[in-house]
């Protein structure tokens, strides 16, 4: 049975043993469920936070259109053994207009940070509040938001939170599109075009695995397949520092973003060079339709 509460104090009152937190903005898909399952396997108690954080939205229309259904989400969380969902309202999370922001310099500067001013400060601020208020031992984040993962890791290190940040593989829909709650808003006629993002990343991953190390060649491969899309960026970056890499000579991710109709899509492949080659983590792929469309 999953307990639903709305305050940090109530959540803490239920806390027991090693607590694994999965921070979310709700409207769950298999990406979220995979984080919850991982936490279930590694922790005594699994907590999920469910809060659409206004601080991290740079466009009011995007915030207003963000899909929400708490009861659906609690049922899905229960299906994977989550102990507690904490779903604070905006008034509980921000009782007064917050003027404090946690900014993570450097890691936040490129890509999403450059295109969505204030976005990562909003993310880092709310995650810091979740860590302080819920006091988890571990917190689980998807590699779909690879730059966010780097920001959260650095914030956790700099502020000294005693939380182990666990990065988990991205999950793709059956056609390859990276799972995102926003996918329900992709106009059907643009879906095929959106898949160019995935095709480009897979082509670049193939190239890296067959020996290509030049950042510009890997980026060009990703761009070529996505030629029908208006790309915001294609960048090969250091996985921890999020600085641009001219050569794939350390753990990295190749990230892409594009506006597809009313929504922005982001995606990436994780590339890890080793002595005898490169391992590309393309993410897991569903063999059925996502729960997003139920
Ligand atoms: O990835 C998300 O869903 C959000 O950015 C997070 C980490 C829950 C913070 O609001």
């Amino acid at each position: 049975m999953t307990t639903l509460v709305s305050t940090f104090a109530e959540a803490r009152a239920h806390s027991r043993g090693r607590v694994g937190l999965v921070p979310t903005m709700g409207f769950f898909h298999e990406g979220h469920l995979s984080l919850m399952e991982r936490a279930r396997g590694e922790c005594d108690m699994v907590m999920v936070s469910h809060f659409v954080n206004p601080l991290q939205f740079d466009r009011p229309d995007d915030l207003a259109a963000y899909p929400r259904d708490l009861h659906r989400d609690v049922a899905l969380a229960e299906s994977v053994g989550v102990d507690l969902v904490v779903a604070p309202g905006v008034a509980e999370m921000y009782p007064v207009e917050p003027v404090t922001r946690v900014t993570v310099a450097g890691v936040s500067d490129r890509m999403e940070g450059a295109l969505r001013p204030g976005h990562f400060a909003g993310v880092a601020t709310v995650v810091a509040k979740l860590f302080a208020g819920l006091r988890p031992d571990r917190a689980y984040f998807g590699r779909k938001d690879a730059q966010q993962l780097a920001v959260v890791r650095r914030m956790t290190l700099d502020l000294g939170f005693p939380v182990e940040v666990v990065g988990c593989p991205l999950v793709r829909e059956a056609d390859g599109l990276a799972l995102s709650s926003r996918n329900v808003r992709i106009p059907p006629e643009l879906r095929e075009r959106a898949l160019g993002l995935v095709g480009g990343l897979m082509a670049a991953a193939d190239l890296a695995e067959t020996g290509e190390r030049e950042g510009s060649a890997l980026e060009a491969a990703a761009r070529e397949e996505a030629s029908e899309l208006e790309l915001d960026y294609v960048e090969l970056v250091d996985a921890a520092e999020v600085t641009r890499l001219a050569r794939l000579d350390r753990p990295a991710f190749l990230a892409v973003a594009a506006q597809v109709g009313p929504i922005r899509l982001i995606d990436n492949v994780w590339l890890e060079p080793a002595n005898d080659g490169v391992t590309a983590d393309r993410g897991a792929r569903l063999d059925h339709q996502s729960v997003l469309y139920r």
Side-chain angles (χ1 to χ4, degrees), residues 25-43:
M25 297 205 298
F27 215 73
F28 297 156
H29 49 65
E30 287 81 353
H32 296 110
L33 301 181
S34 71
L35 303 179
M36 297 172 202
E37 281 166 345
R38 171 95 177 253
R40 180 72 288 158
E42 296 178 355
C43 303

Side-chain angles (χ1 to χ4, degrees), residues 162-288:
V163 179
E164 186 185 338
V165 174
V166 184
C168 304
L170 174 161
V171 184
R172 299 184 178 281
E173 296 199 40
D175 63 5
L177 204 66
L179 270 164
S180 159
S181 306
R182 291 184 173 89
N183 288 3
V184 292
R185 295 176 50 221
I186 301 176
E189 66 279 12
L190 297 181
R191 179 105 192 175
E192 196 59 40
R193 202 181 301 172
L195 290 175
L197 275 186
V198 189
L201 288 173
M202 298 305 141
D206 291 346
L207 211 57
E209 282 183 330
T210 51
E212 183 59 73
R213 296 287 180 277
E214 286 305 313
S216 56
L218 297 173
E219 291 171 358
R223 232 184 231 108
E224 204 176 301
E225 293 269 335
S227 58
E228 280 190 32
L229 288 167
E230 255 181 60
L231 290 170
D232 284 338
Y233 57 77
V234 178
E235 291 198 17
L236 179 73
V237 295
D238 177 298
E241 304 291 331
V242 196
T243 47
R244 191 119 186 219
L245 286 184
R247 272 191 76 73
L248 176 56
D249 55 6
R250 65 196 89 159
F253 60 90
L254 179 63
V256 294
Q259 185 75 31
V260 178
I263 64 161
R264 273 187 84 244
L265 295 179
I266 62 170
D267 199 344
N268 66 78
V269 281
W270 206 265
L271 300 168
E272 299 232 5
N275 290 344
D276 50 352
V278 164
T279 312
D281 180 355
R282 296 167 170 80
R285 204 182 270 226
L286 298 181
D287 59 5
H288 54 270

Side-chain angles (χ1 to χ4, degrees), residues 5-22:
V5 300
S6 62
T7 65
F8 288 171
E10 287 170 289
R12 277 201 310 273
H14 284 83
S15 216
R16 61 182 166 76
R18 173 187 282 250
V19 175
L21 172 68
V22 181

Side-chain angles (χ1 to χ4, degrees), residues 3-79:
T3 305
L4 175 63
V5 300
S6 62
T7 65
F8 288 171
E10 287 170 289
R12 277 201 310 273
H14 284 83
S15 216
R16 61 182 166 76
R18 173 187 282 250
V19 175
L21 172 68
V22 181
T24 80
M25 297 205 298
F27 215 73
F28 297 156
H29 49 65
E30 287 81 353
H32 296 110
L33 301 181
S34 71
L35 303 179
M36 297 172 202
E37 281 166 345
R38 171 95 177 253
R40 180 72 288 158
E42 296 178 355
C43 303
D44 300 310
M45 182 188 185
V46 181
M47 261 188 208
V48 171
S49 64
H50 187 290
F51 178 66
V52 181
N53 175 32
L55 246 50
Q56 70 189 73
F57 284 78
D58 55 324
R59 283 174 23 202
D61 58 318
D62 191 27
L63 173 61
Y66 202 83
R68 296 159 211 241
D69 190 338
L70 179 59
H71 291 291
R72 165 194 180 274
D73 287 344
V74 172
L76 283 168
E78 188 154 280
S79 74

